[in-house]
Amino acid sequence: MAATPPGPEHFELLRHLLALERRAEEQRLAEERAQLTQGEREARGLSAGELEAAEEDVGLGGRFLVTLARAGGTPWRNPFGPGDVVEARPRRAEVAPPERALVARAGRDRVQLAFDRPPPDFVRAGRLVLDLVADDVTFGRADAAVTEVAAGDRGAPGHLRSVLLGSEPPRFEPAPPAEGVEALNPEQRLAVERALSARDLFCVHGPPGTGKSTVLAAVARNAVSRHGRILCTAASNAAVDHLLELCLGEGLRAVRVGHPARVSPRLVEHTLDVRVEQHPDRILARELFDDAFELLGHARRQRLRGRSRERFSNARSAQAEARKLFAEARALERKAVRDVLDGADVLCGTLTALGGSALSSLRFPLALVDEATQATEPLTLLAFLRAERVVLAGDHQQLPPTVISQEAAAGGLGISLFERLLGQHGDPVRQMLREQYRMNAELMELPSQAFYGGALRAHPRVAGRTLETILPGTTLDAPPLLFLDTAGKGWDEAAPEGSESLENPGEADAVVARARALLAAGLPPSEIAVITPYRAQAARLGPALEPLGIEVDTVDAFQGREAEAVLVSCVRSNTHGQLGFLTDLRRMNVALTRAKVHAFVIGDSATLGRHPFYARLVEHAQALGGYRSAWEWSDPGDAAKFA
């Protein structure tokens, strides 16, 4: 049954919720800076101190790159990721204001910053502190998008507003058969055809491993053939990079819009910045800029030599000529940008970038929005302002948009537009993909029943795959689902000093032993992943496993990825049965559906089992013969005990 459509006041509510979220983020960072010690802030991943410049370079678009490392080579764990906005300040002095930069690259013990102008001397010399700061641009552009959609009350904008509010149904039109879809399964073909026939919007619902990317690639290829240049967008840079790779794989001329520091290094050559730098008009513009700066230098020298009429006249003439050259150079740059954009089949950029100068004046016949269930509704509206029709792709049974303000989340900001549209319009606006190509059938069964109404089916080529299929003759005890029950072992959760996150040392030891056993059995480290809901547990596991080549990360960071074997540490073990955000079952859906042939889940059934879903997980493992007690392995540090 469809939900009751909201009224026009819905948009005012969105603006209010955005303001709450913006205030919450600003307050959180301000309070933590004021109340926490530097060590506590570092433990929470909000700051890093005792850094110094290790390398300098000039990056794309003339940006200045400075790589920082911990002074004296002291070991540390870099908390920042590509695209984060940070402020750099000296350790022992106040700078007003501190210098802002983007994190360009982030290694385990190094961080590279990108500055749009030459950084001040204190960045190059002395010890630094980096602080994570809020990026106001996203909030401003999202608010502007809500305001613009709310203002449209007639004609096409009025119809769009009505469809978004659920008071009018989305429209579809007859469309020629899609090309190149013969290899797709029935639901995938239907999703492509319905997406291409939508006049307003359409939702591709892609549960884990069901080939959502395959559908998007086919839609992009057919849409370009029919309509010309299209837009591909998502909330995160990683998702946009994925869309870019899909389009390039289809042979489409795709250009990535956005700061090169936020783009994967392997894709930088496709960015607007790099393409423009290679354009003949930009090369000529650089020469004109050089000439203009030389004329300005000449004008300054004339003034310094005295106040004669001749020198004054020469200075004025040089300045006038410089202004003319600057204008010509900027015109050439704008032409180079237009040429690169006009020559593309697909433009790829984040939702936030749609409000930037490069894309703000452009309109598209179609926009594809990937990972739409991880974007807040205000951000997603930016796509509707740039395109005649929008295809949203995602899965509302996986992780929702990240919202800091509890009040904003309770008010609805944590509900994506994708999810709300399904509630308003139901199946007429979506196609669910049902055949999955990742998981063993036994691994698929519980998520399918719990989250997708039992609708998923395993493709024959993956349904029976097991660890023994990959490693013939292995004797490792590794059924598709293995739940290791720690009940009664005394492996309690704990909060590390200065951290609000949780860790579980006993579970961590068992996970490390299990990972080593998988390595010893012959599974490559690249096919083993360790994930956990808690940042502190990931930090505890990292030093032991990352040197072995095994990736360790939080559930939130691992969505959209996969590995043959996935080890999941649930962490929670307490006498009160408290599960914290494990009660958001979408997080566990993500964790359980990353594995292809073997999911090793470790947790305390006495704590987890008080929740119906986790009780069902334990029962499911028992029914499949995959339940083990940690008491069977008295020494979790002995990998042989896991064999």
Side-chain angles (χ1 to χ4, degrees):
M1 183 175 179
T4 303
E9 68 278 1
H10 172 72
F11 297 112
E12 279 306 309
L13 172 63
L14 286 180
R15 294 193 67 201
H16 171 65
L17 298 177
L18 264 181
L20 291 176
E21 177 69 0
R22 179 187 228 157
R23 194 176 310 127
E25 184 169 354
E26 291 172 347
Q27 289 177 347
R28 176 178 68 94
L29 291 171
E31 289 172 1
E32 287 169 339
R33 178 175 290 190
Q35 297 173 5
L36 301 178
T37 65
Q38 179 64 24
E40 290 171 336
R41 298 186 70 244
E42 290 191 25
R44 297 190 185 185
L46 302 170
S47 184
E50 298 296 325
L51 302 178
E52 60 185 9
E55 297 174 9
E56 293 185 41
D57 199 359
V58 178
L60 301 169
R63 294 179 176 90
F64 295 83
L65 304 177
V66 180
T67 299
L68 305 177
R70 183 60 64 90
T74 307
W76 70 300
R77 186 179 178 86
N78 166 41
F80 306 116
D84 282 347
V85 181
V86 295
E87 285 183 344
R89 56 186 171 87
R91 180 186 60 170
R92 297 188 182 279
E94 290 297 325
V95 175
E99 193 71 11
R100 286 203 174 191
L102 272 180
V103 174
R105 294 185 183 179
R108 178 178 172 80
D109 56 3
R110 288 194 166 204
V111 58
Q112 185 183 69
L113 304 184
F115 297 86
D116 286 331
R117 59 184 181 181
D121 290 340
F122 71 78
V123 172
R124 297 186 172 97
R127 297 190 178 183
L128 301 173
V129 175
L130 292 186
D131 294 311
L132 187 67
V133 296
D135 186 359
D136 250 6
V137 172
T138 297
F139 288 109
R141 292 177 179 175
D143 182 75
V146 176
T147 302
E148 187 173 347
V149 171
D153 57 2
R154 299 180 192 172
H159 173 73
L160 171 63
R161 191 177 73 163
S162 297
V163 172
L164 291 173
L165 290 174
S167 57
E168 289 187 30
R171 302 168 298 177
F172 294 84
E173 61 189 9
E179 297 180 355
V181 296
E182 296 77 17
L184 304 189
N185 66 46
E187 292 90 4
Q188 289 174 331
R189 286 197 299 273
L190 194 54
V192 173
E193 291 166 358
R194 294 184 68 192
L196 291 169
S197 66
R199 292 181 59 190
D200 309 298
L201 60 90
F202 186 68
C203 297
V204 177
H205 180 193
T210 53
K212 172 170 62 71
S213 295
T214 302
V215 170
L216 293 180
V219 172
R221 182 181 63 251
N222 279 271
V224 168
S225 175
R226 296 178 186 185
H227 306 296
R229 185 179 61 188
I230 66 168
L231 173 68
C232 285
T233 184
S236 72
N237 284 284
V240 175
D241 286 349
H242 178 60
L243 285 169
L244 175 62
E245 289 184 297
L246 289 179
C247 293
L248 293 171
E250 293 295 321
L252 300 174
R253 294 170 297 173
V255 173
R256 175 72 157 89
V257 177
H259 198 302
R262 290 186 162 114
V263 179
S264 171
R266 69 182 184 279
L267 297 172
V268 164
E269 64 180 292
H270 301 287
T271 59
L272 178 62
D273 287 54
V274 172
R275 298 286 299 278
V276 169
E277 286 293 331
Q278 297 168 346
H279 193 281
D281 286 337
R282 169 57 181 153
I283 294 172
L284 179 56
R286 285 201 300 268
E287 295 174 358
L288 293 177
F289 277 129
D290 290 342
D291 292 344
F293 283 121
E294 187 174 334
L295 285 168
L296 289 180
H298 174 70
R300 284 193 297 271
R301 290 192 297 273
Q302 288 293 311
R303 290 196 182 92
L304 290 174
R305 290 173 181 171
R307 289 181 168 270
S308 73
R309 181 175 298 177
E310 181 181 0
R311 290 193 183 100
F312 181 71
S313 176
N314 289 339
R316 286 184 59 183
S317 176
Q319 283 184 311
E321 183 64 21
R323 284 195 294 270
K324 180 180 177 182
L325 291 177
F326 276 131
E328 291 179 14
R330 292 188 182 107
L332 285 169
E333 282 189 331
R334 288 192 295 270
K335 181 176 179 299
V337 170
R338 284 197 305 272
D339 285 352
V340 172
L341 295 178
D342 290 345
D345 295 322
V346 184
L347 297 183
C348 303
T350 62
L351 289 164
T352 300
L354 303 189
S357 58
L359 296 175
S360 60
S361 62
L362 300 180
R363 290 281 296 173
F364 301 86
L366 175 73
L368 298 182
V369 184
D370 197 10
E371 303 297 355
T373 50
Q374 294 184 59
T376 61
E377 180 171 340
L379 264 184
T380 309
L381 291 177
L382 279 159
F384 286 87
L385 296 174
R386 299 287 172 267
E388 297 173 16
R389 58 195 81 187
V390 176
V391 174
L392 304 172
D395 178 15
H396 56 294
Q397 297 296 343
Q398 296 186 64
L399 294 176
T402 299
V403 177
I404 295 172
S405 166
Q406 294 184 358
E407 186 178 354
L413 192 61
I415 299 174
S416 67
L417 179 59
F418 182 105
E419 184 174 0
R420 189 173 68 75
L421 288 172
L422 291 190
Q424 300 294 159
H425 297 292
D427 284 342
V429 79
R430 77 148 171 187
Q431 177 61 51
M432 179 178 171
L433 308 180
R434 298 174 184 271
E435 188 164 43
Q436 65 85 21
Y437 300 82
R438 174 185 300 161
M439 293 171 281
N440 170 286
E442 290 185 4
L443 281 176
M444 179 199 72
E445 186 177 344
L446 178 61
S448 177
Q449 294 293 335
F451 300 102
Y452 305 105
L456 301 186
R457 63 182 184 273
H459 188 275
R461 77 166 181 253
V462 300
R465 285 183 81 239
T466 64
L467 194 68
E468 190 172 1
T469 305
I470 303 170
L471 305 172
T474 182
T475 58
L476 188 67
D477 178 17
L481 174 64
L482 194 160
F483 182 83
L484 183 63
D485 189 356
T486 68
K489 288 291 288 184
W491 295 354
D492 296 335
E493 66 192 53
E497 185 177 353
S499 174
E500 293 182 343
S501 186
L502 294 173
E503 64 179 11
N504 189 312
E507 281 192 16
D509 289 343
V511 167
V512 170
R514 183 62 174 180
R516 288 175 175 158
L518 288 165
L519 288 174
L523 196 62
S526 60
E527 289 298 342
I528 304 171
V530 175
I531 59 178
T532 175
Y534 290 92
R535 185 184 295 271
Q537 185 76 337
R540 186 178 188 92
L541 287 161
L545 295 176
E546 288 176 352
L548 302 176
I550 296 175
E551 185 174 9
V552 179
D553 221 327
T554 61
V555 177
D556 299 55
F558 212 81
Q559 178 159 318
R561 291 144 72 191
E562 62 187 21
E564 295 287 3
V566 172
L567 284 58
V568 182
S569 174
C570 296
V571 176
R572 300 310 298 254
S573 179
N574 56 75
T575 57
H576 307 291
Q578 295 177 346
L579 296 184
F581 56 54
L582 283 187
T583 55
D584 184 345
L585 300 181
R586 291 173 292 189
R587 186 165 272 104
M588 189 52 59
N589 183 33
V590 172
L592 291 175
T593 55
R594 301 308 94 196
K596 297 180 184 179
V597 300
H598 177 57
F600 174 87
V601 183
I602 182 169
D604 180 352
S605 66
T607 299
L608 299 175
R610 301 188 192 188
H611 189 288
F613 172 80
Y614 293 100
R616 187 175 175 185
L617 169 62
V618 175
E619 292 168 0
H620 186 63
Q622 290 173 329
L624 295 174
Y627 173 88
R628 308 286 184 271
S629 170
W631 289 95
E632 298 177 45
W633 293 300
S634 59
D635 179 7
D638 182 359
K641 298 289 186 180
F642 290 79

